[in-house]
Amino acid sequence: MSLLRLRAVLRGPGGFRGPGIPWRIFRSYSSASTKEKANRNGTCERTELLEVLKARAKQLQGSNVPEVTVNKVELDALDNDKYQEAVEPGPKERQPRARGDDLAQSSTWAKKLQKEMYIQQLKMKQELPSAASQLALEGQAKLDVKAETKAKAKPMKSPNIPKMKAGTAWNQSSGTPHGKPRVVEAKEAAELKRPQRMPKEKSNQQVLQQTIQCNLECFLFLQQSEEAERYLLLCQSSPVKSKVLDVGAYNIVMRSWARKGSLNRIDRLFSILETTGLQPNLDSYAVVLECMGRNQSPPKAILRYLQQLSSNGFHVDELFQKCLFEEDEKEMVLRAIRTVQPNYQLPPPPSPEISKSSLLQDFYSRDTMVPYPKLDFSMKELQERFQQQLEMELKSTITIESVEAAKPLTPQAIKARELLGTLRSQWHDAILQALQNSKRSMVRPKRLSKYSLLYPYLCLLPDEDYVDIMLQILNDLSPQGESLAVLARELGSKVYDRYIIQRKLRSCQLEKVQKIYENYIELLAKDSQPKQYLPREYWEKLVAEADFGPSLNLKSCSWPCVLLMRLGMHMLELLVKAVKVPRNILNNRLESKPIPVLYHVYSFYSNWQVGLIKPHPIYSQILSNAAETTLTFNSSAMPMLCPPVPWTSASFGAFVLSDTKLMRFLDESTHHQVVLEQCPVVNLHPVLDALNQLGNCAWKINQPVLDIIISIFNDKGDEKLDIPPPLSEAPKPPTASGNSSTWSKSLKHELFLCKKKTAEMHSLRMDALYKLSIANYVRDKVFWFPHNMDFRGRTYPCPPYFNHLGNDVTRAILLFAEGRPLGPRGLDWLKIHLINLTGLKKKNALQERLEYANEIMEDILDSADHPLTGRKWWMDTDEPWQALACCMEIAKASRSPDPAAYISHFPVHQDGSCNGLQHYAALGRDLSGAASVNLVPCGLPQDVYSAVAQQVEEFRKKDAERGLKIARVLQGFISRKVVKQTVMTVVYGVTRYGGRLQIEKRLKEIDEFPEEYLWEASHYLVKQVFNSIKEMFSATRDIQNWLTESAKLIAQSGRTVEWVTPLGLPIIQPYYRSKSTVLNCGMQRLSVRSSNSSQKPDTVKQKNAFPPNFIHSLDSTHMMLTALHCLRKGLTFVSVHDCYWTHALTVDVMNQVCRQQFVALHSEKILQDLSEFMLEKYCSSSSSSTEPIAHWQKRLMEQLSNVPRTGEFNLQQVMDSTYFFS
């Protein structure tokens, strides 16, 4: 069970229907469901044709059918008998009678339906490849943009619309304006032959260019030089494709010939290149010289190209400084050059550049450099761990045992497992045969113009790999089904990931990484000499010393979404067609006709239509009966078993083989990657070093706590302790008699809520199952979490399921692998940390918290000794599992002979006090705001939420005295809890509308509050909360308004908001207007909705998101500065955004560093620097330009120049503030 099932689980069994709403609930509450039939043959007959035809009838009439079954597997003749076959849904799937069923006799729809089915059947009989596989050269680049029929409609904001992977909203559509599904029509075959239209948008041209390069790289990988050149020349002759061809496309084809030593073919391509008006670049000359070195060309020919290289303004040394090489290409280029220049020496590696950031001058100074801290592992142990990690990544997936208690193996389960094994073996053979047949049908046409360009993508891996990928998708499919687009994207991505691994193996990159890593671990191993290098610096040094061999970055182009979807759709079609099960496998009374295991249905949500793939209930039943106890994950979803490969650039680091980006992207945006690659690498050094420092923290499992959690998990769970109970504990639905059409509204609503709760329980249960199972798998291991970041610079562990950013349960079972003595104050910090976790003494001083901990030592020790049978004090805390883990640590330390010498692995946390407002107060030097968020020293912690609540209460009293009714109604109801969420999120851009909803939700939780005043009260309170914050944080609101207005003007000018953090990280807000691209695929037309940098910016999102994103980039900068300076002090440090973790011994040191770096950060001219950067970027014009400055530009210049004034707060006070972080 890997990513697909987890995604379905986390979203809820209801798939796209919101959190945990089952599919059949939506069917039951739809306005037009499938007609019920009287006869009952069981759930195994749901996919019969009558249901298909009736649903199709309703589609043709334009009604809102929630689910339409499209069976594209059966190839039998469609005679009249088949129209009469009926199926009744299973007992749990009964539907209310749909209105309008008598319209099934309409001659209009019947004729149209028969025509469609006849055409479809003819195409099947003639074995025409599906639209997904019949991707001719002309059709590959054709991107039809779906017309927007409702320009201002925003269906994606509906709560029932799916949230897709990586933030992209994928929507499937038939391509018609109203989203009516269509079976493939005859005219689609002709569409492939139509002349291409020039893409109207830049984004289409980008996709086309990317697709052409990917196709050529595919031919290169397959060593099909002839096909690559033919395809290139065909593109060149196309009026559309020729306009997007660049020199990179020609270089790829020349590389394929260079590997074969075919100099004459490269000469010819050089000549063609010149006729197109394109100039050869460095890569072009590297390719031709590689070919000459490979076939040992005469000096005269080599000299001619070297002279041409020089005349084009290049130097020979640049070939080795700027070009990327694979296999022995570098050696071949050098051999060619030395043929004419025997004494030529490779240019020396550039001397390491040092970051010039004013915040890190001391950090990078060689005078203050200290040896990098060692791990408690020898060279041999680290090498063994590297091999284990490599083996796991080479397999792409890993199967582990579930922690769920294995039920007694019943005869039914044994039989089901044997049956499942037999079926999987048959399906493997069937899918393999279907794949091979598909590939044969693709190569049948002789003319290249008919050559399907999906064919090479089906040859990149061994056939067995494709079969494994498809079977994995089948095994992971949720019983409620999955979106067609998600499955297609998942299939395409899995092929791409394995292809990249094969590229790394073929290019000998892995071999080089292995050799460098063997030397790299000398920096970390305890039995090697100390070295005064950072991980990035040491890796770069080792790479520079390894002169020869391949580059560690691949010369490759990522596959565009359109290509991934087409490939995935083709594989999905093969899967649907090939995988069948005997109809009578669970019921011998039925005939033994094979029926499909998967079927294709449509569902309607508002104006959107979504295609789903659902498993047959027979398959789901067999899986349920088998009760398998293993889970399958992608290898990149697991913690690493060795220290991560250090980040050295925007495209290299983290896992050994798995492709990982430094910055996570939204949608299909590639603008971030382009900007990162264009940014001088030295500017990224601080960010890379901080990520490496976080990733190099070694972890282990707190086994006693894990075992207690698993025991409760397997014993019905405990919702109070955040251990989700199994479905056996779900509420039982009320008994309902008679037909569903006779049920009352209240009964239907009760059933709906009951099933919704069941689905939510299932989601939470499976989420916990995955986390606990991964933790149990690494229970005896030391492991690491490689990190990357989002576009704001906020850091995250790469493994998505189990990491220290998780909930209370996950954090409680994680310990530092490195242990340190508690020291003189360590035990006190453990006790204070425990009281912080309870949430009981938030307003008390640290000394009072410590005294309270000493007073309740009996309860603490009892919790540690008898967690499930004693007084259970730990259960009544805010974070019960972390509290229990801390109780156990305190018990061990206090009972040791010398607590100060006790070796502790326990992480102690220090939290920022409303960190976003802290940054705003520091930016504006806001005296009153700074005091409210603990930037000013004070004997007791200041609580900004209570202060706002108190201010709001003052406003309420005045309004009540003036006779305002709602103010009187609210008497006694204004509390810290009511206003907290709104105050917390104001800094992150919450609007009054959003704030009102937050307050309304809190008021609903108060039983005594009169429900009829909810709207009026929440409307009044949100106004007063905003007024209070404006009064308390005047400078904060000024800065927020300045940022918002600046972003608005920038976005209105048609540009995205960009800035650079104080550490030098370039940031772009990735909010663009989305568009739909329609793909003609075999099962249905697929409308892929995406937004990228080639489209206009989304003005509203750019404006509203800038203030919170800017503050997030500052809190990330503060964290990174703290991480780097903690490294210099020899501390173990990790963070969960504004919550910093270290050993109890080093909390005081970390607190000092944290405050120093906050003061240093805000001592920079942050707002002034931002203003100057934006003026330069958005308002500067050429000095020679005579054009008048546009009106919008004048407004923007005035806005950006008018930097908010700052107050009188002295930043140095932060150094003495105990509760700044506490």
Side-chain angles (χ1 to χ4, degrees):
M1 189 180 298
S2 64
L3 184 60
L4 277 176
R5 188 167 293 178
L6 180 64
R7 183 167 50 234
V9 161
L10 294 180
R11 193 172 52 232
F16 297 135
R17 294 158 288 287
I21 305 176
W23 177 267
R24 52 179 173 269
I25 295 292
F26 272 79
R27 292 191 64 179
S28 300
Y29 280 82
S30 64
S31 60
S33 299
T34 315
K35 183 180 178 182
E36 269 194 278
K37 291 299 173 182
N39 59 319
R40 302 183 58 175
N41 290 329
T43 59
C44 62
E45 299 180 32
R46 285 177 56 194
T47 58
E48 292 292 340
L49 194 56
L50 186 60
E51 186 175 338
V52 180
L53 299 180
K54 288 200 169 189
R56 180 64 177 140
K58 294 170 190 172
Q59 286 178 264
L60 294 171
Q61 293 161 358
S63 59
N64 268 342
V65 183
E67 193 176 288
V68 181
T69 305
V70 181
N71 186 344
K72 299 176 75 65
V73 181
E74 303 278 326
L75 302 186
D76 300 339
L78 293 173
D79 49 273
N80 290 333
D81 291 339
K82 289 216 168 187
Y83 285 82
Q84 302 304 318
E85 289 184 21
V87 189
E88 184 208 355
K92 294 183 181 179
E93 304 276 339
R94 286 189 165 273
Q95 311 300 316
R97 181 178 294 273
R99 296 192 299 269
D101 275 357
D102 54 329
L103 294 174
Q105 302 303 318
S106 165
S107 60
T108 305
W109 75 262
K111 286 179 181 177
K112 186 169 181 180
L113 176 64
Q114 287 177 350
K115 179 181 176 183
E116 281 192 286
M117 298 302 289
Y118 177 68
I119 291 170
Q120 180 66 6
Q121 185 188 351
L122 279 180
K123 291 182 74 175
M124 288 179 172
K125 282 189 172 182
Q126 294 168 9
E127 296 181 352
L128 288 176
S130 64
S133 63
Q134 187 63 17
L135 185 60
L137 234 50
E138 300 86 8
Q140 171 79 7
K142 190 174 109 177
L143 300 173
D144 298 323
V145 180
K146 180 180 176 183
E148 294 289 342
T149 58
K150 297 183 179 180
K152 295 187 180 181
K154 298 183 180 179
M156 292 311 296
K157 291 190 178 180
S158 166
N160 289 338
I161 297 299
K163 292 182 180 179
M164 292 302 176
K165 183 178 177 182
T168 303
W170 301 105
N171 303 292
Q172 298 85 15
S173 172
S174 62
T176 61
H178 299 290
K180 299 176 185 175
R182 286 187 263 179
V183 182
V184 180
E185 297 181 6
K187 65 180 182 181
E188 291 184 5
E191 284 182 0
L192 293 173
K193 299 180 181 179
R194 291 179 183 171
Q196 290 182 330
R197 299 186 298 274
M198 182 63 190
K200 295 180 181 179
E201 295 189 25
K202 184 182 174 184
S203 61
N204 286 7
Q205 294 180 346
Q206 287 180 346
V207 171
L208 178 55
Q209 184 181 58
Q210 201 177 357
T211 303
I212 290 172
Q213 291 214 5
C214 291
N215 293 337
L216 291 170
E217 284 178 355
C218 215
F219 288 126
L220 172 65
F221 181 79
L222 295 171
Q223 301 177 357
Q224 296 177 349
S225 307
E226 290 284 358
E227 286 81 354
E229 185 170 338
R230 265 190 287 171
Y231 175 62
L232 177 68
L233 296 178
L234 194 66
C235 291
Q236 189 187 1
S237 64
S238 161
V240 175
K241 297 188 180 73
S242 60
K243 294 184 180 180
V244 297
L245 280 180
D246 61 4
V247 67
Y250 289 86
N251 289 345
I252 294 171
V253 180
M254 287 193 287
R255 280 173 61 203
S256 70
W257 286 120
R259 291 180 181 178
K260 297 182 177 180
S262 301
L263 184 59
N264 57 332
R265 304 300 286 263
I266 294 179
D267 285 338
R268 179 175 170 234
L269 286 167
F270 247 85
S271 303
I272 294 172
L273 181 63
E274 290 171 358
T275 62
T276 62
L278 296 171
Q279 289 294 320
N281 61 13
L282 269 176
D283 285 323
S284 310
Y285 291 108
V287 167
V288 71
L289 289 169
E290 176 211 335
C291 182
M292 291 175 160
R294 201 172 296 283
N295 64 10
Q296 299 184 358
S297 296
K300 186 177 180 181
I302 297 173
L303 195 58
R304 178 167 59 87
Y305 273 107
L306 286 175
Q307 288 170 347
Q308 189 176 339
L309 177 145
S310 180
S311 63
N312 281 358
F314 300 118
H315 191 276
V316 174
D317 286 354
E318 291 180 275
L319 292 170
F320 302 100
Q321 292 167 337
K322 298 179 180 179
C323 293
L324 298 176
F325 299 101
E326 295 183 14
E327 300 180 61
D328 61 347
E329 293 172 354
K330 187 173 185 178
E331 289 77 0
M332 293 300 104
V333 172
L334 186 61
R335 179 196 284 179
I337 293 171
R338 284 180 174 168
T339 302
V340 294
Q341 299 178 24
N343 297 324
Y344 177 80
Q345 295 296 319
L346 286 173
S351 56
E353 294 184 89
I354 305 297
S355 171
K356 294 181 174 60
S357 170
S358 58
L359 292 167
L360 289 168
Q361 284 182 351
D362 291 342
F363 177 79
Y364 285 112
S365 169
R366 287 292 159 188
D367 299 333
T368 61
M369 190 71 72
V370 295
Y372 193 77
K374 299 288 187 180
L375 297 171
D376 191 25
F377 296 103
S378 66
M379 290 276 293
K380 183 179 179 183
E381 288 171 325
L382 287 175
Q383 189 58 42
E384 288 171 355
R385 290 172 178 274
F386 174 78
Q387 290 302 325
Q388 292 171 11
Q389 177 67 27
L390 180 57
E391 287 171 14
M392 183 170 71
E393 291 190 43
L394 283 170
K395 291 176 183 174
S396 297
T397 61
I398 180 170
T399 300
I400 65 176
E401 286 294 320
S402 161
V403 296
E404 209 156 23
K407 300 172 185 175
L409 206 55
T410 63
Q412 182 191 37
I414 295 172
K415 183 179 178 182
R417 290 185 186 183
E418 290 174 354
L419 178 59
L420 203 53
T422 304
L423 287 173
R424 283 174 177 159
S425 176
Q426 294 171 359
W427 295 338
H428 174 279
D429 296 341
I431 296 170
L432 182 61
Q433 187 64 45
L435 176 66
Q436 292 170 345
N437 290 343
S438 168
K439 289 165 71 173
R440 277 195 292 270
S441 69
M442 288 180 183
V443 297
R444 200 172 296 153
K446 299 297 182 186
R447 292 176 55 200
L448 183 62
S449 60
K450 293 288 185 182
Y451 189 91
S452 167
L453 282 183
L454 278 186
Y455 175 74
Y457 292 92
L458 294 172
C459 299
L460 294 173
L461 309 173
D463 287 350
E464 287 287 343
D465 280 13
Y466 293 96
V467 176
D468 288 345
I469 289 170
M470 287 187 266
L471 280 174
Q472 186 186 339
I473 292 291
L474 176 63
N475 292 338
D476 296 341
L477 191 60
S478 162
Q480 285 75 30
E482 181 60 277
S483 157
L484 195 77
V486 168
L487 289 173
R489 178 66 182 264
E490 189 73 16
L491 283 162
S493 297
K494 284 180 181 294
V495 173
Y496 175 76
D497 291 342
R498 294 201 187 193
Y499 159 68
I500 290 297
I501 289 176
Q502 291 303 313
R503 282 278 308 272
K504 290 180 178 180
L505 294 174
R506 174 86 65 85
S507 70
C508 302
Q509 187 204 86
L510 174 59
E511 189 179 322
K512 185 170 182 177
V513 169
Q514 279 182 289
K515 289 180 180 176
I516 293 175
Y517 197 92
E518 284 177 10
N519 295 320
Y520 167 71
I521 56 180
E522 292 180 6
L523 179 71
L524 308 173
K526 63 183 179 182
D527 57 347
S528 59
Q529 292 298 315
K531 292 179 171 55
Q532 292 186 339
Y533 289 96
L534 294 168
R536 171 190 55 79
E537 294 172 337
Y538 196 58
W539 186 276
E540 288 173 345
K541 173 180 177 290
L542 295 171
V543 170
E545 289 171 357
D547 281 343
F548 292 99
S551 307
L552 294 184
N553 291 331
L554 288 177
K555 290 188 282 188
S556 65
C557 173
S558 59
W559 293 357
C561 172
V562 173
L563 178 55
L564 290 170
M565 298 294 282
R566 289 193 185 280
L567 176 61
M569 280 294 291
H570 179 68
M571 293 173 68
L572 200 52
E573 279 191 54
L574 294 178
L575 190 62
V576 170
K577 287 182 181 181
V579 178
K580 298 187 179 182
V581 65
R583 184 180 179 183
N584 66 343
I585 198 164
L586 297 180
N587 187 347
N588 293 328
R589 293 176 296 172
L590 301 174
E591 59 178 306
S592 62
K593 183 179 80 170
I595 58 173
V597 169
L598 302 175
Y599 58 102
H600 176 207
V601 298
Y602 290 102
S603 182
F604 292 83
Y605 306 109
S606 184
N607 293 327
W608 293 101
Q609 170 199 337
V610 177
L612 304 176
I613 294 294
K614 297 188 71 177
H616 197 286
I618 286 179
Y619 174 63
S620 299
Q621 186 63 51
I622 295 172
L623 269 182
S624 176
N625 293 345
E628 294 178 308
T629 58
T630 57
L631 302 171
T632 300
F633 297 97
N634 290 335
S635 56
S636 57
M638 301 293 287
M640 287 189 71
L641 304 178
C642 67
V645 175
W647 285 106
T648 55
S649 71
S651 54
F652 184 82
F655 293 98
V656 179
L657 277 175
S658 301
D659 200 34
T660 312
K661 297 294 184 186
L662 175 67
M663 188 173 279
R664 303 172 175 209
F665 300 145
L666 287 172
D667 301 329
E668 289 299 299
S669 176
T670 56
H671 204 177
H672 295 93
Q673 190 68 21
V674 171
V675 171
L676 286 174
E677 289 172 355
Q678 290 174 347
C679 175
V681 178
V682 67
N683 291 0
L684 296 178
H685 283 177
V687 172
L688 300 177
D689 291 335
L691 287 171
N692 292 334
Q693 177 58 15
L694 296 172
N696 272 353
C697 176
W699 299 87
K700 70 176 186 175
I701 294 296
N702 189 335
Q703 295 187 18
V705 176
L706 176 63
D707 290 336
I708 295 170
I709 293 171
I710 291 174
S711 69
I712 295 177
F713 181 82
N714 286 326
D715 184 26
K716 299 185 178 181
D718 189 325
E719 287 190 276
K720 181 187 172 186
L721 295 176
D722 204 18
I723 308 293
L727 289 185
S728 59
E729 301 302 303
K732 299 295 183 284
T735 55
S737 58
N739 192 291
S740 58
S741 59
T742 64
W743 295 348
S744 66
K745 283 187 177 179
S746 62
L747 178 60
K748 287 182 179 179
H749 185 63
E750 194 175 347
L751 282 168
F752 176 85
L753 292 178
C754 182
K755 293 185 177 181
K756 181 173 182 284
K757 174 66 175 176
T758 302
E760 288 171 351
M761 287 175 63
H762 176 67
S763 299
L764 294 170
R765 178 78 176 179
M766 297 303 288
D767 180 37
L769 174 67
Y770 297 153
K771 289 176 178 175
L772 294 176
S773 297
I774 294 174
N776 197 50
Y777 174 73
V778 295
R779 65 181 295 130
D780 298 314
K781 300 177 173 69
V782 172
F783 50 90
W784 288 260
F785 297 127
H787 281 60
N788 63 358
M789 59 187 172
D790 64 15
F791 71 92
R792 304 164 299 186
R794 278 200 144 190
T795 60
Y796 300 86
C798 297
Y801 310 141
F802 174 68
N803 57 60
H804 60 287
L805 263 67
N807 59 4
D808 175 46
V809 173
T810 312
R811 296 184 189 189
I813 55 182
L814 282 169
L815 295 172
F816 291 136
E818 180 189 8
R820 297 205 178 184
L822 284 178
R825 281 175 49 84
L827 184 56
D828 289 349
W829 272 118
L830 281 176
K831 292 175 180 177
I832 293 170
H833 177 56
L834 172 62
I835 303 307
N836 289 346
L837 291 169
T838 66
L840 297 174
K841 300 287 179 180
K842 292 179 180 177
K843 298 180 182 180
N844 295 68
L846 292 183
Q847 186 59 35
E848 291 172 357
R849 299 180 206 181
L850 177 59
E851 290 169 1
Y852 177 71
N854 289 327
E855 289 171 12
I856 60 167
M857 272 303 288
E858 281 190 25
D859 287 330
I860 294 172
L861 296 176
D862 177 76
S863 295
D865 297 337
H866 311 288
L868 301 180
T869 57
R871 301 172 199 166
K872 304 178 185 176
W873 170 85
W874 63 276
M875 290 187 181
D876 297 318
T877 59
D878 284 0
E879 307 284 353
W881 290 107
Q882 291 179 80
L884 174 61
C886 197
C887 287
M888 291 180 170
E889 189 73 1
I890 291 171
K892 290 177 191 172
S894 60
R895 289 167 177 165
S896 66
D898 180 7
Y902 172 76
I903 303 299
S904 174
H905 298 261
F906 200 85
V908 174
H909 311 170
Q910 296 286 280
D911 264 311
S913 175
C914 203
N915 192 239
L917 282 172
Q918 287 180 328
H919 283 285
Y920 267 126
L923 280 172
R925 303 296 194 273
D926 186 344
L927 197 55
S928 63
S932 299
V933 290
N934 294 297
L935 296 188
V936 176
C938 190
L940 292 173
Q942 299 301 298
D943 182 15
V944 66
Y945 310 118
S946 298
V948 171
Q950 188 177 347
Q951 182 74 52
V952 171
E953 175 62 15
E954 293 296 322
F955 290 153
R956 186 206 65 77
K957 284 180 181 177
K958 291 178 183 177
D959 289 338
E961 289 170 2
R962 289 201 299 265
L964 188 64
K965 184 178 179 181
I966 193 62
R968 291 177 178 174
V969 170
L970 279 165
Q971 183 174 354
F973 292 110
I974 296 174
S975 66
R976 178 184 190 274
K977 185 176 181 181
V978 169
V979 303
K980 178 179 177 180
Q981 188 180 11
T982 306
V983 175
M984 189 188 302
T985 52
V986 158
V987 66
Y988 298 125
V990 74
T991 61
R992 293 202 177 198
Y993 174 80
R996 191 198 70 76
L997 292 177
Q998 291 170 344
I999 291 173
E1000 182 182 68
K1001 188 175 181 182
R1002 297 287 83 82
L1003 290 174
K1004 277 183 181 178
E1005 295 170 357
I1006 304 173
D1007 295 334
E1008 297 80 16
F1009 190 81
E1011 192 174 338
E1012 63 271 20
Y1013 289 105
L1014 276 174
W1015 192 92
E1016 191 179 356
S1018 58
H1019 189 270
Y1020 171 81
L1021 282 180
V1022 75
K1023 178 183 175 184
Q1024 301 306 339
V1025 168
F1026 273 66
N1027 287 340
S1028 299
I1029 294 174
K1030 189 173 183 180
E1031 192 168 298
M1032 293 173 62
F1033 296 88
S1034 55
T1036 294
R1037 296 303 291 182
D1038 290 344
I1039 294 170
Q1040 199 170 30
N1041 292 337
W1042 180 72
L1043 294 172
T1044 301
E1045 188 62 25
S1046 300
K1048 176 184 172 184
L1049 293 174
I1050 290 168
Q1052 285 177 344
S1053 73
R1055 305 181 72 176
T1056 53
V1057 179
E1058 300 181 30
W1059 69 99
V1060 177
T1061 71
L1063 279 186
L1065 178 68
I1067 293 177
I1068 305 174
Q1069 292 196 144
Y1071 309 122
Y1072 306 94
R1073 295 180 189 174
S1074 60
K1075 72 160 195 175
S1076 294
T1077 301
V1078 179
L1079 306 181
N1080 289 318
C1081 299
M1083 287 186 180
Q1084 66 174 65
R1085 289 191 177 186
L1086 211 60
S1087 176
V1088 180
R1089 202 169 167 81
S1090 62
S1091 59
N1092 59 55
S1093 56
S1094 60
Q1095 288 148 35
K1096 291 183 179 180
D1098 185 320
T1099 306
V1100 174
K1101 285 186 179 178
Q1102 290 283 344
K1103 169 178 74 77
N1104 291 340
F1106 181 40
N1109 285 339
F1110 181 70
I1111 294 300
H1112 277 313
S1113 73
L1114 289 183
D1115 73 44
S1116 162
T1117 300
H1118 176 223
M1119 186 279 295
M1120 290 182 177
L1121 285 168
T1122 305
L1124 292 173
H1125 285 87
C1126 281
L1127 167 64
R1128 278 287 176 262
K1129 300 275 187 181
L1131 274 64
T1132 298
F1133 174 92
V1134 292
S1135 80
V1136 180
H1137 303 317
D1138 61 346
C1139 177
Y1140 298 170
W1141 298 15
T1142 190
H1143 288 93
L1145 171 71
T1146 53
V1147 171
D1148 291 311
V1149 180
M1150 183 184 75
N1151 275 331
Q1152 182 187 23
V1153 171
C1154 166
R1155 286 155 177 76
Q1156 286 172 346
Q1157 296 314 309
F1158 186 86
V1159 172
L1161 171 63
H1162 284 283
S1163 297
E1164 299 283 301
K1165 299 181 298 176
I1166 295 176
L1167 293 180
Q1168 192 63 44
D1169 289 346
L1170 177 66
S1171 170
E1172 291 172 5
F1173 172 84
M1174 288 185 160
L1175 283 168
E1176 174 68 24
K1177 182 163 189 67
Y1178 300 110
C1179 302
S1180 63
S1181 56
S1182 172
S1183 56
S1184 60
S1185 174
T1186 56
E1187 293 183 12
I1189 299 175
H1191 176 64
W1192 68 265
Q1193 208 166 7
K1194 285 182 181 177
R1195 284 183 60 200
L1196 182 56
M1197 288 175 70
E1198 289 173 5
Q1199 171 64 26
L1200 292 175
S1201 301
N1202 188 24
V1203 180
R1205 294 181 180 178
T1206 57
E1208 303 299 321
F1209 171 61
N1210 180 6
L1211 270 177
Q1212 291 299 324
Q1213 292 187 69
V1214 174
M1215 293 301 302
D1216 300 318
S1217 174
T1218 303
Y1219 301 103
F1220 166 62
F1221 266 63
S1222 65

